[in-house]
């Protein structure tokens, strides 16, 4: 998933989410939460990144601090409103 700052987010089979600077073509962050393959990632336009995994979890990240804003397993309607 692309954001507005020329960053690309990708989900990995090892459970990580990787953020890439597409100007330099280098990985700039690796985010860990999931215990299985990450199938989906999406930016919200304000620097937050959501990820979903085969482990049946969703996580919303503040990519600047690398902190999890919402690790959530069940409340998908709250997640959908948040991002």
């Amino acid at each position: 998933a692309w954001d507005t700052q020329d960053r690309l987010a990708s989900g990995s089979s090892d459970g990580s989410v990787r953020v890439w600077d597409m100007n330099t073509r280098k990985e700039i962050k690796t985010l860990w939460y999931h215990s299985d393959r990450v199938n989906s990632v999406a930016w919200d336009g304000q620097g937050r990144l959501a990820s979903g995994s085969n482990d049946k979890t969703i996580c919303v990240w503040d990519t600047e601090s690398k902190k999890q804003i919402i690790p959530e397993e069940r409340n998908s309607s709250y997640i959908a409103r948040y991002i």
Side-chain angles (χ1 to χ4, degrees):
W2 290 92
D3 79 347
T4 58
Q5 298 175 359
D6 291 326
R7 295 182 298 180
L8 176 70
S10 62
S12 300
S13 61
D14 65 2
S16 67
V17 175
R18 299 176 190 272
V19 180
W20 306 84
D21 180 328
M22 295 313 294
N23 292 318
T24 63
R25 307 278 196 256
K26 293 187 178 183
E27 180 183 332
I28 55 175
K29 294 180 189 339
T30 302
L31 306 169
W32 293 96
Y33 174 74
H34 300 290
S35 61
D36 202 347
R37 175 183 303 272
V38 176
N39 296 316
S40 57
V41 292
W43 294 97
D44 74 346
Q46 297 177 346
R48 291 182 298 249
L49 177 65
S51 58
S53 169
N54 278 359
D55 66 7
K56 299 182 174 113
T57 62
I58 296 168
C59 188
V60 179
W61 305 89
D62 175 334
T63 57
E64 295 307 313
S65 67
K66 294 187 182 180
K67 291 188 179 178
Q68 301 156 8
I69 298 170
I70 303 173
E72 185 66 42
E73 295 184 31
R74 294 175 196 80
N75 196 348
S76 60
S77 62
Y78 178 76
I79 297 289
R81 285 193 309 260
Y82 185 77
I83 60 170

